[in-house]
């Protein structure tokens, strides 16, 4: 009996897989992935499809008929195709669609009815297109939208964006030099990215209207001073601030007094020569700092910074690009590796950063011999890696550290050639112009042996968790995408929610979570990578994080990412139907066997005269198909696949 039931189930699964479109793969009954298919139209897919990924297929046109039978669709990825427009009403039949990715196409405009009917849509990705115009009312029906990404387009203006639930808005890399509160009516926005818009100022009223802001990116604009908008009380909850690439030149502590909740600050590329002593004490919760690409003067007034970095338990991002520019004795050295004595201070005793007094620090400069100094400034440094290869007439002179004191690091020897050019002979295991880089002794990751690397959470708010996926991605260079599975361990419903993100996303934020709850988050490679090893979970990396408590203000709403609701009974009913079908099959087999062996056999006082179904007629046995829980995908696995995934992300999240 049992072998017969298993055979029927296998036949059912095979029948379902036969509906998979040509040149596509269907890893589950509700998912269709078309990676290599080349066609200008959307392929026909089963009506039960919930996740449809048809990116980079060459699709140039869409019509409502392509989707009219896909009422169960929740995720649609049409990115990296050849679409030039979104026809009016083309998605009207997709009433359950939650995620729509149209990124990296050639769309030039968005009309009023492009997204009509998408009443359940939560994430809309339109970045990497050529959008110049968005008609008024184009987003009016998207009341449940949580994320909108419009970066890397050709926008010069915006219609009024009014979203009651939006949490993330990315407008970066457009040409919108002014933004006011009338442009963005998004009271509960958590993350605003307006990098590289050409902004010369930041509207104070706009920032005042965003009372729930946690992440602000105003990098790569034309801000010549820190905006006064950052001095407002409503930014005490700001966690991440990116100022990189603005021509600020100097920092003032009073501009940042209200930002004592910052955990991540990016000061890269601001043309800073120094950081005021005590400036970073404004941020007691800081865990990640970037100050790369600044021409720092590594003299005594900056000596406190080196000590401060050692005292604080924080991460200095891009340390290899955070170097001294002046004086010559320190030029090119990484700021994080300098000792207090390297700054030329007269007082060389070890003191804490908090005890520094500017009046006790006296600058000191080293004077070089005239000839050496002249040659060093007029000619590039000579990197001496193999002196034996140099002609005898050009061989370096004997090492003389007095002619280039403190130039070479990590035990490297200073060499001066006959022309007066100076360079460093590096010891094995070191590299760089000054031997400043220590080569990584770790062997390259081998795909033959699974390596589990951790993921971690960096920033946690009441409704979001920022995941750090850097190491997970770096050790798996051929990964197509990442499968993120998270569940709420504090509530009654522990069912997992699954996202697929691109491998080009080294960071990803889970949004719409419940406050004051513990979440378990696991990452694993996408299906094709998992199949290379067994299914025991060897390649799965997990972490846990607890969201913060709900705000005290009664006006701030709590949003959660909707889980499966309407389909809660479907798995149970399907399982019950399957059991009933198996019971009927069992009774049929028993009845037929008894009829053949003992005709007229009485069962409980009745003869077996019931018409028994023929077990060899498969259409008489119905094996219902059980639909899995909804799987709200977030991105596509192709995102910048040539460069990276993330993802972003190739996303399939």
């Amino acid at each position: 009996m049992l072998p017969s039931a298993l055979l029927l189930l296998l036949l059912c699964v095979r029948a379902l897989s036969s509906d998979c479109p040509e040149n596509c793969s269907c890893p589950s009954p509700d998912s269709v992935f078309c990676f290599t298919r080349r066609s200008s139209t959307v392929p026909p897919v089963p009506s039960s499809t919930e996740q449809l990924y048809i990116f980079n297929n060459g699709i140039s046109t869409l019509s409502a008929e392509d989707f009219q039978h896909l009422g169960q669709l929740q995720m649609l990825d049409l990115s990296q195709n050849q679409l030039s427009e979104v026809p009016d009403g083309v998605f009207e039949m997709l009433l359950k669609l939650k995620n729509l990715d149209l990124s990296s196409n050639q769309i030039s405009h968005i009309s009023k009815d492009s997204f009509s009917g998408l009443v359940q849509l939560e994430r809309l990705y339109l970045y990497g297109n050529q959008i110049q115009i968005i008609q008024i009312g184009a987003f009016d029906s998207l009341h449940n939208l949580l994320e909108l990404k419009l970066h890397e387009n050709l926008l010069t203006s915006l219609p009024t964006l009014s979203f009651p639930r939006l949490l993330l808005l990315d407008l970066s890399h457009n040409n919108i030099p002014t933004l006011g509160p009338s442009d963005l009516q998004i009271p509960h926005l958590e993350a605003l990215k307006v990098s590289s818009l050409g902004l010369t100022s930041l509207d104070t009223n706009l920032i005042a209207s965003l009372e729930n802001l946690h992440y602000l990116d105003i990098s790569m604009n034309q801000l010549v001073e820190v905006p006064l908008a950052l001095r407002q009380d409503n930014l005490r909850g700001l966690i991440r601030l990116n100022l990189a690439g603005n021509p600020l030149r100097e920092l003032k502590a009073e501009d940042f007094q209200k930002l004592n909740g910052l955990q991540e600050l990016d000061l890269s590329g601001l043309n800073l020569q120094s950081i005021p002593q005590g400036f970073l004490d404004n941020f007691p919760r800081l865990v990640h700092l970037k100050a790369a690409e600044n021409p720092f003067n590594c003299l005594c007034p900056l000596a406190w910074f080196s000590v401060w970095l050692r005292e604080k338990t924080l991460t200095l991002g891009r340390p290899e690009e955070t170097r001294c520019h002046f004086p010559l004795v320190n030029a090119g050295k990484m700021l994080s590796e300098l000792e207090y004595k390297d700054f030329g201070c007269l007082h060389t005793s070890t003191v804490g950063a908090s005890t520094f007094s500017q009046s006790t620090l006296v600058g000191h400069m080293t004077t070089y011999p005239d000839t050496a100094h002249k040659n060093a400034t007029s000619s590039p440094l000579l990197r001496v890696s193999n002196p034996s290869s140099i002609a005898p007439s050009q061989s370096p002179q004997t090492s003389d550290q007095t002619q280039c004191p403190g130039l070479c690091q990590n035990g490297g020897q200073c060499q001066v050639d006959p022309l007066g050019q100076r360079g460093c002979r590096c010891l094995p295991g070191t590299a760089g112009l000054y031997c400043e880089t220590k080569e990584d002794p770790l062997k390259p990751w081998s795909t033959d042996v699974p390596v589990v690397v951790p993921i971690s959470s960096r920033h946690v708010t009441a409704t979001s968790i920022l995941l750090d996926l850097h190491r997970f991605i770096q050790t798996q260079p051929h990964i197509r995408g990442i499968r993120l599975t998270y569940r709420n361990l504090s509530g009654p419903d522990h069912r997992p929610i699954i996202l697929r993100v691109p491998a080009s996303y080294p960071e990803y934020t889970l949004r719409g979570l419940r406050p004051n709850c513990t979440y378990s988050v696991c990452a694993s490679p996408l299906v094709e990578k998992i199949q290379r090893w067994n299914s025991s979970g060897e390649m799965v990396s997990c972490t846990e994080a607890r969201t913060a408590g709900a705000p005290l203000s009664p006006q701030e709403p709590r949003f959660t990412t909707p889980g499966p609701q309407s389909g809660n009974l479907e798995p149970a009913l399907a399982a019950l139907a399957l059991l009933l079908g198996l019971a009927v099959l069992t009774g049929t087999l028993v009845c037929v066997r008894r009829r053949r062996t003992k005709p007229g056999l009485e069962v409980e006082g009745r003869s077996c005269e019931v018409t028994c179904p023929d077990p060899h007629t498969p259409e008489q046995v119905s094996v219902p198909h059980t639909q899995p829980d909804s799987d709200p995908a977030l991105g596509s696995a192709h995102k910048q696949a040539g460069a990276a995934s993330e993802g972003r992300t190739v996303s399939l999240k």
Side-chain angles (χ1 to χ4, degrees):
M1 178 188 69
L2 185 58
S4 300
L6 292 176
L7 179 60
L8 286 173
L9 290 175
L10 290 175
L11 290 174
C12 182
V13 171
R14 184 173 181 180
L16 288 172
S17 63
S18 65
D19 294 334
C20 193
E22 186 178 359
N23 295 325
C24 298
S25 62
C26 302
S28 63
D30 60 355
S31 300
V32 177
F33 296 84
C34 298
F35 297 125
T36 59
R37 177 181 174 274
R38 290 292 178 268
S39 175
S40 61
T41 59
V42 175
V45 297
S47 59
S48 61
T49 303
E50 295 181 7
Q51 289 87 36
L52 177 57
Y53 302 89
I54 43 178
F55 55 82
N56 196 19
N57 279 214
I59 296 173
S60 59
T61 58
L62 297 176
S63 66
E65 288 75 17
D66 295 331
F67 310 105
Q68 63 181 358
H69 64 292
L70 299 179
Q72 302 301 315
L73 198 64
Q74 297 183 23
M75 169 68 202
L76 177 58
D77 186 345
L78 287 164
S79 59
Q80 284 193 342
N81 282 293
Q82 306 296 323
L83 297 174
S84 59
E85 64 175 351
V86 182
D88 291 349
V90 69
F91 303 122
E92 279 186 338
M93 302 302 295
L94 304 181
L95 300 180
K96 293 187 177 181
L97 193 68
K98 294 184 178 180
N99 304 278
L100 176 59
D101 191 342
L102 293 167
S103 62
S104 300
N105 279 280
Q106 301 170 13
I107 300 171
S108 60
H109 67 281
I110 301 296
S111 66
K112 184 178 184 298
D113 296 317
S114 291
F115 305 114
S116 61
L118 299 180
V119 294
Q120 296 297 325
L121 196 67
E122 295 179 352
R123 297 171 182 87
L124 176 59
Y125 298 158
L126 293 167
Y127 62 88
N129 280 283
Q130 302 172 17
I131 301 174
Q132 301 181 48
I133 299 174
I134 299 177
Q135 290 185 358
I136 297 175
F139 303 126
D140 283 357
S141 62
L142 308 182
H143 301 297
N144 289 310
L145 203 64
L146 299 177
E147 297 184 8
L148 175 60
K149 297 186 178 182
L150 287 165
H151 53 285
E152 298 176 11
N153 278 290
L154 303 176
L155 293 169
T156 56
S157 62
L158 288 173
T160 298
L161 300 182
S162 179
F163 298 100
R165 301 187 63 197
L166 197 69
L167 301 178
L168 181 148
L169 175 62
D170 193 344
L171 298 172
S172 302
H173 299 279
N174 283 283
N175 185 20
I176 310 174
T178 58
L179 280 176
S182 60
D183 298 317
L184 307 181
Q185 298 178 10
I186 314 172
H188 305 301
L189 195 67
E190 290 185 352
L192 175 61
K193 299 181 181 182
V194 288
S195 172
S196 191
L197 290 187
L199 298 175
T200 57
S201 62
L202 189 61
D203 191 278
T204 301
N205 294 327
L206 170 64
I207 300 301
S209 67
L210 306 176
E211 298 182 355
N212 201 35
L213 201 61
H214 300 316
Y215 177 25
L216 177 61
D217 183 355
I218 52 176
S219 62
M220 306 302 293
N221 282 292
Q222 303 300 319
L223 304 174
V224 296
E225 59 182 5
V226 177
L228 294 177
L230 298 184
R231 297 190 180 190
Q232 299 181 91
D233 289 336
N234 68 298
L235 291 183
R236 292 186 182 276
L238 196 67
I239 293 175
R240 303 175 66 191
L241 174 62
N242 190 347
L243 289 168
N246 285 288
L248 296 183
R249 299 184 66 87
E250 65 174 342
L251 301 174
K252 299 178 182 178
E254 55 266 26
D255 292 329
F256 299 86
Q257 288 180 349
K258 300 296 178 65
L259 305 181
N260 49 21
L262 278 184
Q263 297 179 23
E264 182 172 331
L265 177 62
D266 195 339
L267 302 174
S268 302
L270 301 184
N271 204 25
L272 301 176
Q273 296 183 3
S274 185
I275 298 177
Q277 181 185 335
F279 169 77
L280 295 174
D281 292 335
N282 290 329
F283 317 116
R285 301 180 182 178
L286 197 66
V287 295
H288 194 80
L289 172 67
K290 292 180 182 177
E293 299 182 8
N294 284 298
F296 285 116
N297 286 346
C298 293
L299 295 171
C300 199
L302 193 58
W304 72 273
F305 183 64
S306 178
V307 179
W308 185 87
L309 284 176
R310 288 174 172 80
E311 286 185 348
K312 302 296 181 181
T313 56
L314 58 78
T315 301
L316 180 66
R318 300 167 63 189
E320 69 284 351
E321 300 176 65
T322 310
R323 297 179 181 269
C324 300
H325 178 71
F326 183 85
L328 194 59
V329 67
N330 286 330
K333 293 183 180 180
M334 289 193 291
L335 200 58
S336 59
E337 294 188 355
L338 292 180
E339 301 289 343
Y340 171 73
K341 62 182 180 180
D342 297 326
F343 290 85
C345 300
L346 293 181
H347 180 61
T348 58
S349 61
T350 302
V351 292
S354 59
T355 64
F356 267 75
S357 172
Q358 191 71 27
S359 61
T360 64
L361 303 178
V362 181
H364 172 70
M365 284 191 60
T366 302
T367 302
Y368 294 85
D370 291 341
T371 56
H373 182 79
K374 179 180 178 181
N375 289 327
T377 56
S378 61
S379 304
L381 283 170
L382 171 67
R383 167 70 192 282
V384 182
S385 59
N386 187 6
S388 62
S389 64
I390 303 177
S393 61
Q394 297 179 347
S395 59
Q397 299 175 3
T398 305
S399 176
D400 185 357
Q401 297 293 342
T402 62
Q403 294 195 37
C404 44
L407 177 68
C408 303
Q409 304 179 39
N410 297 317
Q413 281 191 330
C414 177
Q415 301 280 340
V416 182
D417 69 6
L419 299 177
Q421 294 180 325
R422 300 172 301 168
C424 296
R425 178 188 297 194
C426 300
L427 296 177
T430 63
L433 194 61
Y434 308 98
C435 309
E436 73 276 8
T437 303
K438 294 182 179 180
E439 296 177 353
D440 190 354
L442 295 178
K443 297 180 180 179
W445 177 70
S446 171
T447 56
D448 296 333
V449 180
V451 178
V452 178
V453 292
I455 62 172
S456 60
S457 57
R458 287 232 314 269
H459 304 298
V460 181
T461 69
T463 58
S464 66
I465 297 173
L466 173 63
L467 300 175
D468 189 339
L469 305 172
H470 285 82
R471 294 182 60 195
F472 188 86
I473 294 173
Q474 289 172 357
T475 55
Q476 302 178 69
H478 304 295
I479 187 175
R480 278 187 176 271
I482 303 171
R483 181 184 180 93
L484 285 180
T485 305
Y486 68 97
R487 67 183 75 207
N488 184 355
L489 302 180
S490 303
D493 187 356
H494 292 176
R495 286 176 299 176
I497 297 178
I498 302 173
L499 305 176
R500 293 176 177 89
V501 302
S504 57
Y505 277 19
E507 296 180 354
Y508 183 73
T509 302
L510 299 178
R511 303 185 183 279
L513 307 180
R514 288 184 177 274
N516 201 29
C517 290
T518 299
Y519 282 84
S520 171
V521 186
C522 294
S524 61
L526 218 52
V527 175
E528 294 170 323
K529 275 294 180 183
I530 294 178
Q531 291 174 346
R532 295 186 63 182
W533 297 289
N534 59 44
S535 58
S536 61
E538 288 178 305
M539 294 302 296
V540 176
S541 179
C542 299
T543 187
E544 288 188 8
R546 185 171 186 83
T547 54
L552 297 178
S553 172
Q555 289 80 14
E556 183 173 343
R558 300 180 180 179
F559 296 133
T560 60
T561 302
Q565 296 176 355
S566 60
N568 286 348
L569 295 179
E570 291 181 6
L573 292 175
L576 180 59
L578 179 60
L579 291 176
L580 290 175
L582 291 176
V584 171
L585 178 61
T586 302
T588 299
L589 294 175
V590 172
C591 187
V592 169
R593 181 177 298 175
R594 290 185 176 181
R595 166 177 282 184
R596 290 177 177 176
T597 56
K598 296 181 180 181
L601 178 65
E602 295 290 329
V603 180
E604 296 183 359
R606 301 179 183 178
S607 69
C608 185
E609 297 177 354
V610 180
T611 302
C612 298
D614 186 355
H616 300 287
T617 307
E619 58 267 20
Q620 293 181 350
V621 181
S622 174
V623 181
H625 169 60
T626 304
Q627 296 288 346
D629 292 337
S630 67
D631 184 6
L634 181 59
S636 54
H638 69 287
K639 301 300 179 296
Q640 303 175 353
S645 261
E646 148 160 115
R648 66 165 256 339
T649 9
V650 181
S651 165
L652 299 176
K653 211 123 152 343

